[in-house]
DNA sequence: ATGTCATGGACGCCATGA
């Protein structure tokens, strides 16, 4: 079985690239992030033509996550346990954002997550990020009972200094701070394993490169798209890689897909 | 480090978020 995750930076703008990629990579399960559209705008029919069903959690212009599956989809759950919202400075009410959706596909329980960016250390969004990660932990704690299990997506955290192109450039940034990394450690402590993809080029398994300043060609990247698998599922992993080709060419997302092949057969 | 995108609202540009 092939399981993948991809922040597509608008599923509508990326539809030609997404359909092309599905046709060649042929994942059984694909977790999508940054749909940037509501469920109404989601390209359900085009994906169904390729044999994929979808569990969608989207509300409009920002965020949005989905699980695609060609091995069945059931028990869809939208949102986290005790999920926090984000309250912009000028808003009266905090708004819940579509950043997490879970589904059972072909005997595997998967969650597609888009962790808040955090913007700047000390910004209200950074505090929201840490609170959101605590809710993710509470959700995983419950959902992990349905193993094999994995939570995949854009975590907006580089787990180690080796996962950023220049640690010095991130000295005062989000994505690398001890509280963010501690939140990842607490997820792993529940019984999850960071499935690190093999390096393809430059000996780095980065998954994200800024659109600006030729970052991709200079390999100024980060590994922030992660696959956190239950121990049993991690044991069944036969290969894991970043599909850098999906970051090349015309009209790419700024993220590349992470692809994981697992062998779930009893003898596997 | 900041040379790019994508979206949506009031328009052939700006604000927002990443």
């Amino acid at each position: 079985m092939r399981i993948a995750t991809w922040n597509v930076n608008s599923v509508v703008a990326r539809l030609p690239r997404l359909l092309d990629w599905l046709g060649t990579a042929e994942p059984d399960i694909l977790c999508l992030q940054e749909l940037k559209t509501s469920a109404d705008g989601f390209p359900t029919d085009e994906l169904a033509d390729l044999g994929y069903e979808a569990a969608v959690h989207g509300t409009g212009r920002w965020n949005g996550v989905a699980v695609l599956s060609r091995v069945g989809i059931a028990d869809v759950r939208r949102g986290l346990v005790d999920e926090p919202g984000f309250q912009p400075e000028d808003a009266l009410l905090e708004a819940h954002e579509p950043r997490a959706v879970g589904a059972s596909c072909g005997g595997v329980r998967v969650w597609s997550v888009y962790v808040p960016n955090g913007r700047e250390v000390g910004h209200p969004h950074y505090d929201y990020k840490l609170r959101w990660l605590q809710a993710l932990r509470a959700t995983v704690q419950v959902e992990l009972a349905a193993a094999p299990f994995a939570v995949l997506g854009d975590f907006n955290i580089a787990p180690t200094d080796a996962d950023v192109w220049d640690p010095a450039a991130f000295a005062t940034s989000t994505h690398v701070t001890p509280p963010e990394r501690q939140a990842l450690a607490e997820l792993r402590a529940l019984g999850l394993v960071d499935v690190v993809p093999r390096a393809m080029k430059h000996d780095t398994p980065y998954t994200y490169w800024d659109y600006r300043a030729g970052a991709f060609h200079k390999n100024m990247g980060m590994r922030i798209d992660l696959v956190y698998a239950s121990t049993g599922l991690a044991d069944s992993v036969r290969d894991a890689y970043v599909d850098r080709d999906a970051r090349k060419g015309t009209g790419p997302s700024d993220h590349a897909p992470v692809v994981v092949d697992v062998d779930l057969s009893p003898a596997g």
Side-chain angles (χ1 to χ4, degrees), chain A residues 1-5 21 26-31 105 108 110 150 152 227 233 239 258-262 264:
Chain A
M1 172 181 277
R2 174 163 282 181
I3 307 173
T5 181
W21 190 79
E26 298 195 308
D28 296 294
I29 303 168
L30 174 61
C31 295
C105 309
V108 181
V110 298
L152 311 89
V227 177
L233 186 62
D239 193 13
V258 179
V259 181
V260 177
D261 289 325
V262 297
L264 296 174

Side-chain angles (χ1 to χ4, degrees), chain A residues 40-95:
Chain A
D40 285 347
F42 191 82
T44 305
D45 295 342
E46 291 89 337
L47 293 166
D49 287 344
L50 294 182
Y52 289 92
E53 298 175 274
V56 180
H57 188 25
T59 54
R61 183 179 184 183
W62 305 117
N63 315 302
V65 288
V67 176
L68 304 185
S69 173
R70 63 176 192 181
V71 290
I73 202 158
D75 301 321
V76 174
R77 180 166 178 172
R78 293 173 179 81
L80 301 177
V81 173
D82 296 327
E83 181 179 83
F86 178 61
Q87 181 176 6
E89 289 80 346
D90 59 352
L92 293 175
L93 298 172
E94 68 174 16

Side-chain angles (χ1 to χ4, degrees), chain A residues 105-183:
Chain A
C105 309
V108 181
R109 183 73 179 162
V110 298
W111 277 76
S112 176
V113 299
Y114 178 45
V115 177
N117 173 286
R119 299 185 189 169
E120 295 171 14
V121 177
H123 191 282
H125 207 263
Y126 177 78
D127 181 61
Y128 168 53
K129 180 179 195 173
L130 296 178
R131 286 185 288 120
W132 198 92
L133 285 162
Q134 285 307 307
L136 177 60
R137 180 179 175 279
T139 306
V140 168
Q141 197 157 28
V142 174
E143 290 276 307
L144 192 51
F149 170 91
V151 52
L152 311 89
D154 179 356
F155 282 73
N156 271 315
I157 303 169
T160 74
D161 281 352
D163 296 311
V164 297
W165 60 275
D166 181 8
F170 289 83
T172 61
S173 305
T174 60
H175 294 57
V176 300
T177 66
E180 291 167 279
R181 287 176 170 170
Q182 177 64 26

Side-chain angles (χ1 to χ4, degrees), chain A residues 191-221:
Chain A
L192 297 181
V193 176
D194 182 356
V195 179
V196 181
R198 63 185 153 91
M200 305 293 284
K201 191 180 178 185
H202 306 294
D203 294 325
T204 53
Y206 297 154
T207 65
Y208 162 82
W209 301 261
D210 198 293
Y211 282 123
R212 296 168 288 187
F216 180 65
H217 290 102
K218 295 185 225 168
N219 202 37
M220 296 160 69

